[in-house]
Amino acid sequence: MNEATLTYRGAVYPWHCDHMGHMNVMWYVGKFDEATWQLFTHLGLTPSRLRNDGAGMAAVEQHIEYRRELHAGDVLSIRSRVLEVTEKAIRFCHEMVNDETGEVAATTTLVGVHLDTRMRKSKPLPSEVRERAQDWQAPA
C-alpha cells in the first residue's frame, strides 16, 4: 500500500477565510488534523481502541509548506502516506490538493508518538499497527 490514501474531502467556507480573503492557516492545520485521525483509523488506531487501551497519540513535530492559496468555495482533498515507523512513533505526510485545479495547496509532515494517557509517557505501538504502518510506508 505504498500509494497515498485519501483521508479527507471537504470545502473552504467563507468563515475559514481571513481578512485577506484566503483560507487562514488555522484551517489548514484543522483539515490536516482531521486527515490524521482518518489515517490513524486506517492503521488500526481507532478512537475506541485508544480509549479502551488508555492510549493516545501526541503530535511532537509538524512542518507545513503553503504552496497555493485556497478561497471560499474551493473543494479539496488530502492524501496521506506513512514515511517511517519506529517502536513508539509514526512519521507521516499529508498533501492537500485543490480538486478543481489539481494544484497542491499545502503539504505537511508530522511525527506522532503513541502514549499511555494515564502515565503521560510514550509506549510501544501495538505490533499489528506497526506492521500495517510498515506495509503502508512510502518507498525511500
Side-chain angles (χ1 to χ4, degrees), residues 59-80:
V60 296
E61 183 177 334
Q62 182 172 15
H63 175 79
I64 301 175
E65 290 184 32
Y66 301 100
R67 297 186 182 176
R68 297 279 187 272
E69 293 179 347
L70 291 170
H71 301 91
D74 287 343
V75 291
L76 60 102
S77 58
I78 297 174
R79 294 192 178 278
S80 308

Side-chain angles (χ1 to χ4, degrees), residues 33 36-37 40 56-63 84 86 88-92 108-115 120-123:
D33 186 61
T36 294
W37 290 108
F40 287 167
M57 293 296 290
V60 296
E61 183 177 334
Q62 182 172 15
H63 175 79
E84 180 182 10
T86 64
K88 298 178 181 179
I90 303 171
R91 188 168 64 89
F92 54 97
T108 188
T109 303
L110 300 105
V111 176
V113 174
H114 189 240
L115 58 100
R120 305 302 290 173
K121 294 177 80 171
S122 64
K123 71 177 192 175

